[in-house]
Amino acid sequence: MTLRAVALVAVIAAGCGAVGVAAPQVVGAREDTGCPAANDALAHTKAALELPGVRALRPHLERVLVEHGGLRVLIQGLAAMLTDVDQETFAHLRAGLNPEVGLGSLTPHLVEVLRYIDGSSAHVAGAHPEPLAAVHAMLDQCPAPATLSTTRRLLELEVRADPAGAWVLAAPGAGERSWLGAVLDAVRAVASDPVFVAALEDLELEDESEGDGTIRVGRDAFRLLSSILVANLAAPDFDPEAARALLDDALSLRITDPAARAKLDAALDVALLIAEPSADVFPQTQALMGCLNDADEDAAIGGMLYDWLTVDALPLEAFLDDAAETAGVDTATDLRLALVDMLGAVEARPALAGDVTIVLGELLDEEAAPALVSALLAVQGQGALHELLGLVDGVEQCRGLAP
Amino acid sequence: MSASPVTVRAVLVTPLLLATAASANGAFETYGADARSRGLAHADVALPSIAAAHTNPGALGLADSELALAVSYTLDLPALEIALAAARAVDDPLAPARPPVVSALNLAATQPVDLVGEDRLFVGAAAYFPTSVLVRARAFDPARPFFAMYDSATEHYDVSVGAGLRLVEWLHLGAGLRLAAGQRGDVQLAVDPVRGRLVQQSMDTFQYPTSAPVAGIVVGPLGVDGVARVSVGAVWREPIAFDVALPATLVIEGADVDAVLDVLVLANYEPRSLTAGAALWAARGLLVDVEAQWAMWSAAPPPMLVTRVDLGGEGLEALGLDATLDAPAPGQDRVRSPGYLDTVVWRLGVEWRVLEPLALRAGYQYRPTPVPDQTSGTNIVDANAHVIALGAGVTMRLPHVFKQPISAEIGYQAQVLEERTATKTNPQDEIGHWAARGVVHALALGWTYRF
């Protein structure tokens, strides 16, 4: 009887259809389940791409990447990195570039540099495209493998303190800190000293190339000094003692304050570690200086350094403070080493290295460079970089894969 | 710039498409296998029929002693509408889909085969061929409203073949096959993005036959001629679908990327069913057939595209993105079992032979819907349907044209859907509330000839 009743109920139920029975719940295509939609997750980036300053860059990107085949080269470069670089390296790169975590504190200073170049700085009048032109010339003229090699070597260079407390070069992995970090610390110490700044402003140097005893002062003298040093470093018969003597004559000996002089000496000591002929990195240093000597005949980069060292309004001190602080944290170290690995991947392929530097050089040529700087300034503060770098973490969190 | 070639390999992208399209009965099961069947509201399981290869292979044992042929033209006109609470433009991708008008040719035949005695073994075939497309497989986005039982359900060919055995005068057994096809193959592509060249491009695809068995029995007619005779019939059908499996592989050289695209379509799914009924031949040429059909809709696959994207490979592994970009992620799958319920369809058909050459027909069918209430995310539209049928058949003698009498048949059905509303429980549902209603007009014109 019970079985019959059940069967009867089943038949009747089947005969009544599925009206009144709820279908399984299915998430909607646009339903918010706690994670942002892709369009929302990239809203700032998409908005940044529509900014007038960025749109102005598009013709240049098309010229370099499409018409000149730059995109193919970048794809090859990316493929090389995917082959040779591991997951951890890319994770460190993402973390290091994240404005919120890695180089975040440096972003305002980098913006100031861009403003200095394009003439929109509130602290220095006029545009100063010359340093960027010098970099372009270096990319254009210098042998790419050598340039990459030098960059990589300098990034991975480490130092340790000797018994006297002075920094000396150390083998990779055996150092106490990076050479770059040590230089930043030393430069910060001397650049913040008004005695040193005054000495720079009072700098005088005879320009022997003129042949008439012309004396260069201030900025021009600093540029001349830079040129002479670079040329000396590039020379096959480079004499480190002579170069140091030149610097001492031009600067150190004119600083009477012992403390300020000590700071300058300390900065020069650590910076010139790479100029020691006995140093493993010296050949790369010399090659780089030779390239710089050819590409930056007017010492534009030196002129920019002078401006930043002497113009009170330019926030050099804050820049160096932030840089030194950033350099000391693990994120920056990881970023540095990630860049070393990535440069190594490209450096191992000389032809590709050459092509990549050509592409980068074209993006910095006199046609594209102003648009590139304007575009970078336009996207600053839009949140695009943070958004892009945080995308992977965001996706992982949405998937519940993040630790 | 130099153009150094890059040769790197591995698997990066593996998209998988599993598409299951309209899961609804074909034309034969929706309307009936010929003009007569349509006029009887498809109540014919216990009746002799030229289309018995489909209606009930057991009824082949009741076939004529001569070759019998039936041809009809059918026209199905849906007048259905889905009214959204929040209307959408006609060209909106999620605007309600409109079922198409379908016209088709139906062919049926029975033939005695005197292998085991005279008029003992019969074979038959029934076929349905749409006039505009041979097969349509359509799978909508899960959110798009569409009529599950009428959208593309009848827009595909349907072929049944069978054999029936007359064991004794009152007992007939039959078996047959519903024929379908599957599609398989693969596409191989490889691209060098640096050179901008397709370095491999090939395809191999083929159709293969598939089938689903059908078995039937008819007991009868038993009784007294001229007074009352009864027959009882039952038919069992296994599920059938049109399977398409066409994987495509794309290798992107230089970037450690392989994209494997698996396309699997289980189109035009028809469920397992058992139909049982009885027919009564009464005095004055009256015939009444009642039957019920149980359909196992609970086993139906989702009537939509099921897609999986697997991104992997050495390249993404190097970026730490190996499993990160897979879709759908857990909890994000928009395709699930539709939750159909089994149904029991009730049918009643009456035929009155007013005069010897003239038969009038009428029928009623109650078709419960297997589709549950759409409350969130999906919009599979269907409702309980009341099928009202009318038909007629005239037998004529045209001695200068045909040696034997020829019959002209007409059948009409109105499949009236009860109004059904969907009240969404999720305020973020993309479509929102809706109401559906309408009627499908199904017309058939045909003729039969017995040689």
Side-chain angles (χ1 to χ4, degrees), chain B residues 22-291:
Chain B
S23 45
N25 282 320
F28 279 174
E29 281 302 293
T30 302
Y31 304 114
D34 58 15
R36 181 185 183 221
S37 179
R38 289 197 177 202
L40 291 172
H42 194 15
D44 51 16
V45 71
L47 302 179
S49 168
I50 298 177
H54 176 82
T55 60
N56 184 349
L60 285 171
L62 294 167
D64 299 297
S65 300
E66 311 84 20
L67 170 66
L69 183 65
V71 178
S72 59
Y73 170 80
T74 61
L75 183 65
D76 306 326
L77 301 166
L80 301 169
E81 68 163 325
I82 304 170
L84 305 182
R88 288 175 176 263
V90 173
D91 58 354
D92 188 299
L94 293 182
R98 291 175 164 273
V101 173
V102 180
S103 65
L105 288 176
N106 292 219
L107 304 169
T110 59
Q111 169 71 54
V113 178
D114 295 335
L115 285 178
V116 288
E118 196 172 333
D119 290 347
R120 290 288 178 188
L121 179 64
F122 302 82
V123 294
Y128 171 92
F129 295 103
T131 56
S132 49
V133 301
L134 206 56
V135 178
R136 183 188 295 276
R138 188 148 70 174
F140 294 109
D141 182 271
R144 187 176 187 191
F146 73 102
F147 282 95
M149 299 297 160
Y150 301 102
D151 186 83
S152 58
T154 59
E155 210 169 5
H156 66 91
Y157 69 84
D158 202 342
V159 177
S160 295
V161 295
L165 195 61
R166 182 182 297 170
L167 293 174
V168 292
E169 287 303 309
W170 52 270
L171 180 61
H172 316 275
L173 296 176
L177 293 173
R178 296 185 63 191
L179 304 180
Q183 182 94 29
R184 284 221 183 107
D186 67 86
V187 178
Q188 299 283 340
L189 299 170
V191 61
D192 182 337
V194 176
R195 288 178 171 162
R197 183 186 306 164
L198 281 169
V199 296
Q200 183 185 9
Q201 45 196 126
S202 64
M203 187 191 79
D204 179 17
T205 181
F206 58 93
Q207 276 204 354
Y208 60 94
T210 63
S211 61
V214 182
I217 182 173
V218 174
V219 179
L222 294 169
V224 179
D225 284 345
V227 178
R229 291 184 305 153
V230 174
S231 68
V232 176
V235 64
W236 173 272
R237 292 191 182 85
E238 279 293 283
I240 194 168
F242 176 59
D243 300 352
V244 177
L246 195 64
T249 303
L250 172 65
V251 175
I252 303 176
E253 292 189 351
D256 291 359
V257 173
D258 276 356
V260 179
L261 186 69
D262 272 335
V263 179
L264 178 60
V265 181
L266 300 177
N268 307 319
Y269 175 85
E270 298 187 30
R272 176 178 291 123
S273 67
L274 172 64
T275 308
L280 167 68
W281 284 264
R284 299 187 182 180
L286 189 65
L287 165 66
V288 179
D289 183 296
V290 292
E291 64 186 50

Side-chain angles (χ1 to χ4, degrees), chain A residues 21 25 32 72 76 355 399, chain B residues 2 4 194 326 373 375 428:
Chain A
V21 178
Q25 301 281 302
D32 183 0
R72 289 185 181 183
Q76 287 178 300
D355 289 344
R399 307 300 177 92
Chain B
S2 64
S4 57
V194 176
D326 293 353
D373 293 343
T375 56
Q428 294 191 59

Side-chain angles (χ1 to χ4, degrees), chain A residues 110-365:
Chain A
L110 295 175
V111 169
E112 274 305 322
V113 172
L114 292 174
R115 292 196 191 286
Y116 170 87
I117 291 173
D118 91 332
S120 60
S121 173
H123 311 297
V124 181
H128 302 85
E130 302 84 14
L132 205 55
V135 172
H136 161 68
M138 289 180 68
L139 291 171
D140 201 33
Q141 301 166 14
C142 305
T147 306
L148 284 177
S149 175
T150 304
T151 307
R152 182 180 59 78
R153 290 299 305 275
L154 293 177
L155 280 174
E156 70 179 354
L157 202 58
E158 294 181 358
V159 295
R160 60 176 174 81
D162 69 4
W167 293 115
V168 294
L169 293 178
E176 295 172 32
R177 63 178 309 179
S178 67
W179 170 80
L180 199 59
V183 168
L184 283 172
D185 269 351
V187 170
R188 180 179 62 157
V190 69
S192 61
D193 195 319
V195 174
F196 169 73
V197 175
L200 281 182
E201 292 170 341
D202 294 339
L203 186 65
E204 291 182 4
L205 202 63
E206 183 179 353
D207 188 347
E208 295 178 355
S209 66
E210 298 288 330
D212 57 357
T214 302
I215 302 296
R216 304 289 180 194
V217 296
R219 192 177 193 271
D220 289 342
F222 189 85
R223 287 171 53 222
L224 178 59
L225 180 62
S226 303
S227 291
I228 295 172
L229 278 172
V230 169
N232 281 349
L233 274 166
D237 58 347
F238 170 67
D239 181 353
E241 290 183 1
R244 189 58 186 262
L246 172 63
L247 285 166
D248 287 342
D249 287 341
L251 278 175
S252 295
L253 295 178
R254 297 176 189 233
I255 297 175
T256 55
D257 180 77
R261 184 189 295 180
K263 292 176 187 175
L264 176 60
D265 287 342
L268 291 175
D269 286 344
V270 68
L272 292 177
L273 284 175
I274 62 173
E276 287 293 325
S278 60
D280 289 341
V281 72
F282 179 71
Q284 285 86 5
T285 304
Q286 200 167 39
L288 181 65
M289 291 301 114
C291 172
L292 184 61
N293 189 45
D294 294 335
D296 189 15
E297 292 179 349
D298 293 335
I301 296 176
M304 185 176 82
L305 285 173
Y306 180 87
D307 289 338
W308 279 83
L309 286 168
T310 58
V311 176
D312 288 340
L314 286 172
L316 175 66
E317 199 170 323
F319 187 177
L320 292 174
D321 284 344
D322 290 336
E325 186 179 330
T326 301
V329 299
D330 290 343
T331 306
T333 302
D334 292 340
L335 172 63
R336 179 173 60 86
L337 295 177
L339 290 173
V340 167
D341 287 344
M342 294 171 69
L343 286 173
V346 179
E347 184 187 334
R349 298 164 175 81
L352 176 62
D355 289 344
V356 169
T357 52
I358 289 174
V359 172
L360 294 177
E362 286 201 12
L363 288 173
L364 293 177
D365 67 18

